[in-house]
């Protein structure tokens, strides 16, 4: 019962504390509560507490806390349960089970921090005498000293107080009392220091030469990466004299054989050596912009390479995942990563000595290397070198662009292949003379080899622009409106990850042609249009044909007749140029317009000899004033050829004119039958000969060639083409008209035959009318009479008289020839009886010369495959084929 | 009950008991039982005197339910 009493008392107390109100104020509630309590406690049907259950509950609870992420709770609970289990107590499982049952959602509501509040505050430490004495000692010596009434100021007091409070310090001048420098000194952790010093393997002092220092692989990796980045390292030594890198054999690995390690390090040192040399090369500056661009590109690549090395270092320094330190693997990575830049280093080393001489050797070498890399399917090297190449090319393209867009050249630009030869040259030779292509050794063009196919086009574009500028039609609106296509790696080789299938040179040429054509086509079209329409190229060519080549036969005949009349009149001033010019202008006006006819100028050369009219023909030159743009095409050197042909035509006309004057009636009047027959025969043959010659010249030679030339000229693209077409045309004319050097003997023979005609005509007229006065007689005979010397009739004399002054080696003979010619003609005059012989002689001469000419033409025609000559020979040789029958 | 050791001094006993109470109080706080130290010591005494823990727990719960309002707000609800 004591038990129960105690129980009741305790229950009361419990209720009291739970209910928290005064039992006296609310008796009823209190009583009710008491009843509940006693009823509850009395019940016996509860089982005994199973302590193992309790423990397992606690374990489960702890797990639950951990699962629900309340590790703090679980830990705290765990600690306390363990502690309480260490205690011996009968009722402990009961306590624990009570608590378990009363627990109310601990995961959400418990706060571990609340535990802190449970601890009673620690009591303040007890005050001991020692502490009191420290703060306030028994005696203070200062009290008994005399007071210095006036000496101390408040500052000093303040100072003294501070000193007392702070304790000893090294310096006493510290103003700032809140800042303690000692607080800045961080105590050094001696252990860490020792480790650091140990790892600085390069500071080890070796006692003798043979001893080696052991290093770890990680240290070796780091040293390698430093060396490759161009920095100093201890494992590899920089040798400045031989510009190379060697492995320092002082250091060995603890875990590998020295030989294998050395081999590996030596390979890495090789890579490092190449890179080191490349870095040294970059440091030397250059003055040419091309080389500077190249150096900048190489520097950029080196920077990228350094970045790659830094990334590798990062892998080892801050590994995201566990990484194994392996020098072999590093070697592998470095080898693959360095392949492009090593190729570049090799390239630089090869071309370094040549860069001063040939400033674009790097472009050529890069080009070759790119093609090689493409063929060996090294895509990384290909891309790498191609990007470098295109960067450098941009600098080279700048002068090209300037030249092609405005026709300007930079001053003293040694690297560009167009070069102003003669800035003060005349505009008439602007195209050909003012600018030339710069050539180097062996006449090779001074430009990169891969640009040479396009060099001519570039050259012509610039020249066209200069031309247009001179013409005055260059200006705004002349620039093409399409944007310039980019020339770089992506546009040329494509962006795909595969190697382009076409060879790189082809891709480049195609891209470059596109680039050029955007600039080229516009200028040249404008120029061409201008030449054809404004300057009237075709019209000028037509005029030339009329003037020189007898395009309009009747006008030419008129002109020829007029000249011959003047010659035959025998006046001294017959070849006065002003009169002749007026004559020519007047005659040619119907064919050319008045304005153009005014451009004709006739000049004549005063020859030393007395006026032989056949010679006189060769001394008369017709000139036509050309506008300067046309003169770039129809060059000055072509005009004499025109004049030669014109003279030749005039000569044939002349002979016909003369021989035709020998009328059949006058021959009929000759008494001598034989002479009469001979004369008929000779006359007929001469006329036939000259007719064939004239028809050959006008039809076979002139017409055909001119047609071809006109067609080709209309299709020509630029001035170069036009000029070359014209040159070829003129050369062909000269060739076919038998005026070229290798046909000289034949030409001479023909002229001789023509001269026979002259002689015949002269002889006939002098024979037929011996009493004629000198006024009507051909001037030749009058001259001939006055001559006193005798000479035989020699072909050499005649020949020289009619050939135009172009043939220079004959000029020396002109004097003697004159006299001989005079005599030759003169010898006919006096003896009428020898006229028969003379005609016979003429016949014989003709008969001798003609086969010679035909044979010569045939053989030459066969040799040089010129069918026209063979045709001419055929026409002249019909007599032979029929079998020449001689009269008389 | 076998005597485990020679009777420890009163101080020691009291200290041990106090420690047990401390630990129990901590566990009680951790488990969010809302028992303060005083209540816990009464519970301990009751259990030591033979009360059944389950029964005691039920009683406490019942009392709390009925008079929980006072407990939470601290007001005097007389009408209950």
């Amino acid at each position: 019962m004591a038990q129960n009493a105690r129980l009741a008392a305790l229950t009361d107390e419990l209720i009291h504390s739970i209910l928290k109100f005064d039992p006296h104020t609310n008796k009823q509630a209190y009583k009710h509560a008491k009843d509940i309590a006693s009823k509850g406690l009395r019940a016996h049907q509860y089982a005994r507490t199973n302590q193992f259950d309790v423990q397992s509950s606690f374990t489960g609870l702890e797990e639950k806390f951990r699962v629900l992420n309340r590790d703090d709770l679980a830990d705290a609970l765990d600690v306390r349960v363990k502690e309480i289990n260490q205690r011996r107590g009968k009722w402990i499982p009961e306590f624990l089970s009570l608590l378990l049952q009363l627990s109310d959602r601990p995961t959400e509501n418990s706060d571990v921090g609340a535990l802190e509040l449970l601890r009673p505050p620690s009591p303040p430490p007890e005050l001991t005498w020692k502490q009191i004495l420290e703060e306030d000692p028994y005696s203070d010596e200062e009290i008994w000293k005399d007071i210095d009434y006036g000496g101390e100021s408040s500052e000093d007091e303040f100072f003294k107080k501070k000193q007392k409070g702070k304790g000893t310090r090294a310096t006493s001048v510290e103003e700032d009392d809140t800042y303690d420098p000692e607080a800045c000194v961080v105590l050094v952790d001696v252990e860490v220091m020792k480790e650091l010093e140990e790892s600085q393997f390069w500071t080890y002092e070796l006692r003798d030469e043979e001893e080696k220092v052991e290093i770890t692989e990680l240290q070796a990796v780091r040293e390698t990466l430093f060396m490759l980045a161009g920095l100093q390292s201890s494992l590899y030594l920089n040798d400045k004299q031989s510009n190379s890198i060697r492995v320092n054999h002082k250091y060995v690995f603890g875990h590998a054989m020295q030989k294998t390690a050395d081999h590996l390090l030596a390979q890495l040192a090789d890579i490092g050596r190449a890179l080191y040399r490349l870095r040294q090369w970059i440091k030397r500056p250059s003055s040419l912009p091309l080389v500077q661009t190249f150096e900048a590109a190489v520097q950029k690549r080196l920077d990228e390479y350094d970045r790659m090395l830094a990334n590798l270092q990062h892998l080892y320094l801050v590994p995201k995942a566990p990484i194994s330190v392996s020098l072999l693997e590093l070697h592998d990575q470095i080898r693959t990563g360095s392949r492009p830049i090593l190729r570049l280093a090799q390239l630089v080393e090869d071309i370094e000595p040549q860069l001063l001489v040939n400033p674009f050797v790097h472009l050529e070498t890069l080009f070759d290397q790119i093609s090689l890399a493409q063929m060996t399917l090294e895509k990384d090297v290909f891309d790498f070198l191609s990007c470098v190449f295109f960067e450098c090319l941009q600098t080279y393209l700048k002068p090209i662009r300037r030249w092609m867009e405005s026709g300007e050249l930079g001053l003293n630009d040694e690297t560009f292949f167009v070069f102003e030869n003669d800035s003060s040259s005349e505009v008439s030779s602007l195209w050909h003379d003012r600018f030339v292509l710069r050539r180097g050794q062996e006449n090779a063009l001074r430009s990169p080899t891969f640009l040479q196919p396009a060099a001519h086009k570039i050259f012509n574009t610039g020249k066209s622009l200069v031309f247009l500028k001179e013409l005055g039609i260059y200006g705004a609106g002349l620039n093409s409106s399409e944007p310039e296509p980019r020339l770089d790696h992506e546009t040329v080789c494509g962006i795909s990850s595969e190697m382009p299938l076409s060879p790189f040179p082809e891709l480049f040429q195609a891209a470059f042609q596109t680039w050029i054509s955007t600039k080229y086509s516009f200028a040249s079209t404008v120029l061409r249009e201008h030449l054809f329409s404004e300057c009237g190229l075709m019209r000028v060519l037509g005029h030339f044909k009329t003037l020189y080549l007898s395009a309009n036969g009747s006008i030419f005949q008129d002109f020829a007749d007029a000249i011959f009349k003047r010659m035959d009149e025998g006046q001294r001033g017959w070849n006065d140029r002003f009169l002749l010019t007026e004559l020519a202008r007047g005659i040619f006006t119907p064919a050319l317009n008045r304005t153009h006819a005014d451009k004709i100028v006739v000049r004549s050369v005063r020859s030393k000899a007395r006026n032989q009219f056949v010679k006189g023909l060769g001394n008369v030159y017709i000139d036509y004033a050309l506008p300067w743009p046309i003169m770039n095409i129809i060059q000055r050197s072509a005009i004499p050829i025109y004049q030669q042909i014109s003279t030749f035509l005039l000569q044939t006309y002349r002979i016909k004119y003369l021989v035709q004057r020998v009328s059949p009636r006058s021959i009929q009047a000759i008494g001598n039958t034989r002479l009469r027959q001979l004369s008929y025969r000779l006359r007929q043959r001469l006329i036939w000969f000259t007719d064939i010659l004239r028809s050959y010249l006008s039809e076979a030679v002139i017409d055909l060639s001119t047609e071809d030339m006109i067609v080709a000229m209309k299709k020509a693209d630029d001035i170069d083409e036009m000029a070359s077409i014209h040159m070829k045309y003129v050369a062909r004319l000269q060739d076919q008209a038998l005026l070229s050097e290798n046909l000289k003997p034949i030409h001479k023979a023909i002229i001789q035959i023509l001269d026979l005609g002259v002689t015949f005509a002269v002889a006939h007229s002098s024979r037929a009318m011996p009493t004629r006065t000198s006024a009507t007689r051909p001037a030749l005979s009058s001259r001939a009479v006055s001559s006193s010397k005798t000479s035989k009739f020699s072909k050499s004399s005649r020949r020289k008289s009619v050939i135009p002054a172009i043939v220079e080696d004959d000029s020396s003979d002109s004097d003697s020839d004159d006299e001989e010619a005079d005599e030759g003609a003169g010898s006919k005059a006096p003896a009428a009886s020898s006229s028969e012989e003379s005609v016979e002689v003429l016949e014989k001469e003709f008969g001798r010369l003609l086969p010679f000419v035909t044979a010569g033409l045939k053989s030459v025609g066969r040799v040089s495959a010129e069918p026209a000559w063979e045709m001419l020979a055929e026409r002249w040789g019909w007599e032979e084929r029929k079998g020449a029958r001689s009269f008389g | 009950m076998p005597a485990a050791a020679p009777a420890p001094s009163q101080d020691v006993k009291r200290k041990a008991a106090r420690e047990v109470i401390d630990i129990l109080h901590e566990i009680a706080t951790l488990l969010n039982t809302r028992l303060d130290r005083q209540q816990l010591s009464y519970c301990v005494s009751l259990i030591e005197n033979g009360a059944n823990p389950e029964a005691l727990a039920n009683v406490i719960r019942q009392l709390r339910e009925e008079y929980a309002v006072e407990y939470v707000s601290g007001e005097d609800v007389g009408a209950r």
Side-chain angles (χ1 to χ4, degrees):
Chain A
M1 302 325 123
Q3 190 91 337
N4 287 342
R6 244 204 315 270
L7 267 180
L10 287 171
T11 318
D12 275 348
E13 294 285 316
L14 183 61
I15 292 168
H16 196 101
S17 77
I18 289 181
L19 296 186
K20 288 208 185 313
F21 61 77
D22 196 354
H24 299 294
T25 53
N26 200 341
K27 274 209 168 122
Q28 199 184 8
Y30 187 66
K31 198 158 178 298
H32 181 68
K34 245 177 103 167
D35 282 338
I36 294 173
S38 37
K39 244 188 249 153
L41 284 175
R42 213 171 289 136
H44 291 295
Q45 57 268 40
Y46 293 106
R48 263 198 66 86
T49 323
N50 185 349
Q51 69 181 57
F52 299 110
D53 272 346
V54 167
Q55 289 301 321
S56 67
S57 301
F58 267 108
T59 322
L61 202 58
E62 192 189 314
E63 260 185 50
K64 179 175 143 196
F65 287 159
R66 287 205 193 275
V67 163
L68 290 174
N69 214 16
R70 292 295 313 257
D71 279 328
D72 51 354
L73 212 52
D75 290 334
L77 191 63
D78 193 37
V79 163
R80 276 142 190 110
V81 167
K82 281 203 179 73
E83 254 192 82
I84 210 169
N85 284 335
Q86 282 168 358
R87 314 277 165 158
R88 285 189 162 277
K90 189 172 161 194
W91 301 104
I92 289 186
E94 271 78 7
F95 301 149
L96 292 175
S97 104
L98 168 72
L99 293 178
L100 273 176
Q101 285 172 36
L102 279 177
S103 71
D104 177 22
R105 291 199 302 230
T107 45
E108 286 105 25
N109 300 329
S110 310
D111 181 11
V112 178
L115 285 174
E116 295 295 314
L117 299 171
L118 293 178
R119 282 205 201 102
S122 53
E126 285 174 18
L127 202 55
T128 60
W129 272 111
K130 204 162 151 207
Q131 274 179 317
I132 296 173
L133 279 179
E134 263 180 13
E135 286 181 39
D136 198 5
Y138 281 136
S139 70
D140 183 8
E141 290 302 317
E142 294 289 313
I143 294 178
W144 308 111
K145 286 206 179 127
D146 290 327
I147 303 169
D148 184 5
Y149 283 103
E152 290 180 356
S153 63
S154 51
E155 274 180 14
D156 288 347
E157 266 184 21
F158 182 58
F159 216 111
K160 282 214 185 98
K161 265 199 227 153
K162 266 203 309 179
Q163 281 194 331
K164 243 202 310 193
K166 291 294 179 186
T168 55
R169 220 180 311 145
T171 165
S172 60
V173 292
E174 190 65 32
E175 290 286 321
D176 185 3
D177 64 336
T178 58
Y179 184 64
D180 184 3
E182 277 188 6
C184 296
V185 174
V186 174
L187 283 177
V188 170
D189 189 355
V190 182
E191 280 305 313
V192 172
M193 271 280 291
K194 251 197 264 177
E195 263 183 51
L196 212 58
E197 277 174 8
E198 266 177 11
S199 70
Q200 284 182 345
F201 61 91
W202 55 86
T203 51
Y204 279 7
E205 297 286 325
L206 292 181
R207 286 189 298 274
D208 60 281
E209 284 295 307
E210 291 303 313
E211 193 183 324
K212 313 264 183 209
V213 177
E214 266 193 27
I215 56 172
T216 67
E217 199 155 347
L218 185 60
Q219 283 170 333
V221 162
R222 197 184 64 183
E223 292 289 303
T224 310
L225 287 172
F226 280 172
M227 181 270 295
L228 288 171
L231 305 166
Q232 289 281 344
S233 69
S234 320
L235 189 54
Y236 300 92
L237 299 170
N238 283 3
D239 194 348
K240 292 228 170 10
Q241 283 94 359
S242 67
N243 225 16
S244 71
I245 295 190
R246 289 185 296 111
V247 178
N248 189 352
H249 292 289
K250 231 169 38 166
Y251 301 102
V252 291
F253 288 133
H255 56 273
M257 274 179 63
Q258 189 176 358
K259 270 205 162 53
T260 17
D262 276 348
H263 179 72
L264 187 59
L265 290 174
Q267 286 185 341
L268 287 165
D270 283 337
I271 298 180
R273 183 182 309 130
L275 289 171
Y276 177 68
R277 290 204 179 126
L278 192 63
R279 288 181 211 269
Q280 294 300 100
W281 177 76
I282 291 246
K283 290 202 188 111
R284 289 198 283 273
S286 158
S287 58
L288 286 173
L290 278 179
V291 184
Q292 282 171 346
T293 320
F294 183 50
E295 279 175 5
V298 174
Q299 179 71 54
K300 194 169 136 194
R301 294 324 186 278
L302 272 177
D303 289 342
E304 283 175 10
Y305 184 72
D306 287 343
R307 204 168 299 133
M308 186 209 49
L309 288 177
N311 284 340
L312 277 177
Q313 274 201 27
H314 187 75
L315 276 181
Y316 286 104
L317 282 173
V318 187
K320 292 206 181 54
I323 179 171
S324 62
V325 175
S326 156
L327 198 59
L328 277 173
E329 191 183 335
L330 182 75
H331 176 241
D332 211 28
Q333 284 172 327
I334 288 199
R335 215 173 29 179
T336 40
S338 315
R339 203 160 64 152
I341 200 149
L342 281 178
R343 189 67 59 85
L344 191 62
Q346 182 68 41
L347 200 148
V348 166
E349 202 170 321
D350 288 337
I351 66 176
E352 195 180 339
Q354 301 172 28
L355 263 182
L356 288 170
V357 174
N358 183 356
F360 22 75
V361 68
H362 62 278
L363 287 172
E364 292 173 344
T365 325
L366 274 169
F367 195 79
D368 293 335
Q369 284 289 324
I370 292 174
S371 316
L372 188 65
Q374 191 188 19
M375 277 189 264
T376 50
L377 290 181
E378 292 170 319
K379 176 108 172 80
D380 50 350
V381 175
F382 174 76
D383 284 337
F384 185 80
L385 288 178
S386 169
C387 290
V388 173
F389 172 73
F390 280 112
E391 277 177 30
C392 297
L393 192 64
Q394 299 302 322
T395 312
Y396 189 72
L397 288 179
K398 279 198 194 135
I400 295 185
R401 194 180 292 127
R402 191 154 163 235
W403 169 248
M404 286 179 83
E405 281 178 2
S406 60
E408 283 165 23
L409 291 175
L411 292 169
N412 290 333
D413 191 357
E414 290 277 325
T415 54
F416 190 38
F417 54 85
V418 175
F419 149 70
E420 189 163 13
N421 192 14
D422 183 8
S423 55
S424 59
S425 68
E426 293 181 341
V427 281
S428 58
S429 57
L430 175 68
W431 186 265
H432 301 281
D433 290 340
R434 190 177 284 193
F435 297 100
V436 294
L437 290 175
R438 199 190 296 265
R439 291 188 183 268
Q441 293 168 347
E442 296 156 20
N443 217 21
L445 191 59
R446 238 176 109 72
S447 80
T449 44
F450 51 85
L451 283 186
Q452 277 174 9
H456 258 284
K457 257 194 169 174
I458 299 174
F459 190 42
N460 285 349
T461 313
K463 282 202 288 190
S464 317
L465 281 168
V466 174
F467 212 86
L468 286 172
K469 267 193 192 162
E470 291 286 339
L471 280 173
I473 60 177
Y474 174 81
L478 204 63
N479 294 321
S480 108
S481 55
E482 13 174 302
E484 177 185 311
R486 275 176 34 215
L487 265 184
D488 56 13
H489 178 76
E490 283 84 24
T491 39
V492 174
C493 304
I495 323 179
S496 79
S497 59
E498 293 294 317
M499 197 90 86
L501 288 173
S502 315
F504 182 73
E506 269 186 37
L507 286 170
F508 178 75
Q509 288 298 339
F512 195 65
Q513 292 290 340
T514 323
W515 188 83
I516 283 186
S517 61
T518 55
K519 304 181 190 306
Y520 164 84
S521 55
F522 194 70
S524 68
T525 339
V526 169
L527 185 59
R528 190 170 165 278
E529 282 308 311
H530 185 85
L531 279 173
F532 275 102
S533 54
E534 293 289 319
C535 311
L537 180 62
M538 289 300 158
R539 191 186 58 224
V540 166
L541 287 170
H543 291 171
F544 266 44
K545 195 156 172 244
T546 315
L547 272 183
Y548 294 111
L549 306 176
S550 151
N552 189 334
S554 68
I555 290 186
F556 200 74
Q557 179 80 61
D558 286 343
F559 178 64
D561 288 343
I563 292 193
F564 302 150
K565 223 165 81 169
R566 287 184 70 88
M567 280 165 73
D568 288 341
E569 271 162 20
Q571 291 177 9
R572 277 198 73 79
W574 76 269
N575 57 353
D576 170 51
R577 58 194 171 103
F578 295 106
L579 295 171
L580 281 182
T581 309
E582 275 309 309
L583 184 67
R585 282 187 188 170
I587 291 179
F588 280 110
T589 306
L592 299 67
N593 289 328
R594 182 80 218 166
T595 43
H596 300 298
D598 282 343
K599 292 184 194 160
I600 303 174
V601 171
V602 181
R603 66 193 159 87
S604 63
V605 172
R606 286 228 170 265
S607 63
K608 266 208 298 210
R610 283 159 289 175
N611 241 328
Q612 304 287 341
F613 45 70
V614 280
K615 206 187 261 188
L617 270 178
N619 293 336
V620 172
Y621 303 101
I622 306 176
D623 280 329
Y624 185 83
L626 288 170
W628 69 264
I630 305 290
M631 278 187 88
N632 277 298
I633 301 174
I634 303 177
Q635 289 171 4
R636 274 216 190 95
S637 51
I639 308 279
I641 300 181
Y642 276 115
Q643 285 165 349
Q644 274 183 33
I645 300 177
S646 156
T647 314
F648 198 21
L649 273 174
L650 277 178
Q651 284 162 357
T652 52
Y653 274 69
R654 172 77 178 147
I655 300 306
K656 182 121 190 258
Y657 173 82
L658 284 177
V659 170
Q660 269 184 336
R661 285 249 294 245
V662 178
S663 63
R665 216 170 300 140
S666 58
I667 296 180
Q668 219 172 24
I670 297 174
N672 194 334
T673 320
R674 185 160 159 148
L675 184 57
R676 192 172 52 232
Q677 282 173 343
L678 280 176
S679 301
Y680 273 134
R681 182 151 180 248
L682 192 56
R683 178 177 181 274
Q684 186 267 331
R685 283 173 103 188
L686 283 169
I687 291 182
W688 164 82
F689 180 80
T690 50
D691 275 345
I692 291 184
L693 183 58
R694 184 161 65 160
S695 98
Y696 166 72
L697 280 176
S698 354
E699 290 152 21
V701 173
I702 293 172
D703 278 351
L704 282 178
S705 302
T706 314
E707 261 182 48
D708 287 340
M709 188 270 289
I710 300 272
V711 165
M713 191 69 92
K714 284 202 176 127
K715 282 200 286 203
D717 277 335
D718 62 4
I719 295 189
D720 262 348
E721 241 184 279
M722 292 184 213
S724 72
I725 289 173
H726 188 257
M727 280 308 289
K728 276 193 210 133
Y729 163 69
V730 163
R732 195 173 157 73
L733 279 182
Q734 188 188 31
D735 225 19
Q736 286 193 326
L738 315 171
L739 294 167
S740 54
E741 278 303 303
N742 50 352
L743 290 178
K744 223 164 150 173
I746 300 182
H747 182 79
K748 279 184 199 161
I750 293 178
I751 297 296
Q752 274 175 266
I753 298 179
L754 294 179
D755 286 342
L756 294 179
V758 174
T759 323
F760 171 67
V762 162
H764 184 86
S765 56
S766 64
R767 193 186 329 117
M769 282 152 280
T771 56
R772 230 188 246 172
T773 59
S774 59
T776 49
R777 217 187 287 166
L780 175 61
S781 45
S782 68
R783 296 285 185 292
V785 164
S786 57
S787 139
S788 55
K789 277 198 230 149
T790 55
S791 70
K792 50 179 190 358
F793 170 56
S794 65
K795 21 186 201 293
S796 57
S797 58
R798 290 287 170 225
R799 190 178 343 137
K800 304 292 187 286
S801 64
V802 194
I803 287 181
I806 307 288
V807 182
E808 277 134 8
D809 54 351
D810 296 333
S811 56
S812 53
D813 295 335
S814 56
D815 274 344
S816 50
D817 284 344
D818 285 339
E819 291 153 20
E820 280 185 20
D822 284 343
E823 287 131 22
S827 62
K828 302 285 182 288
S833 57
S834 62
S835 59
E836 191 179 312
E837 289 140 22
S838 62
V839 176
E840 266 188 31
V841 161
L842 289 179
E843 269 278 336
K844 274 207 200 88
E845 276 299 306
F846 192 87
R848 186 184 63 84
L849 285 172
L850 185 60
F852 168 71
V853 166
T854 35
L857 276 176
K858 271 206 193 120
S859 60
V860 174
R862 227 175 294 130
V863 161
S864 45
E866 191 65 68
W869 292 334
E870 290 202 42
M871 287 195 313
L872 184 60
E874 291 277 302
R875 288 170 83 182
W876 273 335
W878 72 272
E879 270 188 353
E880 281 177 34
R881 283 199 305 281
K882 288 206 163 161
R885 282 175 289 142
S886 60
F887 289 91
Chain B
M1 210 177 303
S9 60
Q10 291 293 349
D11 268 341
V12 175
K13 261 205 271 186
R14 243 179 282 143
K15 196 154 170 273
R18 204 165 38 241
E19 280 175 8
V20 167
I21 298 280
D22 284 340
I23 299 174
L24 283 176
H25 187 48
E26 286 177 356
I27 297 181
T29 320
L30 283 174
L31 293 178
N32 200 31
T33 55
R34 277 176 291 177
L35 285 170
D36 64 16
R37 217 184 154 84
Q38 187 80 327
Q39 292 169 3
L40 184 65
S41 53
Y42 289 141
C43 291
V44 162
S45 303
L46 278 168
I47 290 175
E48 277 181 343
N49 284 304
N52 187 287
E54 207 174 322
L56 184 56
N58 284 338
V59 166
I60 293 176
R61 249 182 262 139
Q62 258 182 312
L63 285 173
R64 277 187 184 159
E65 261 173 46
E66 279 211 45
Y67 302 102
V69 182
E70 293 112 40
Y71 181 71
V72 167
S73 62
E75 277 174 11
D76 201 336
V77 181
R80 267 215 138 136

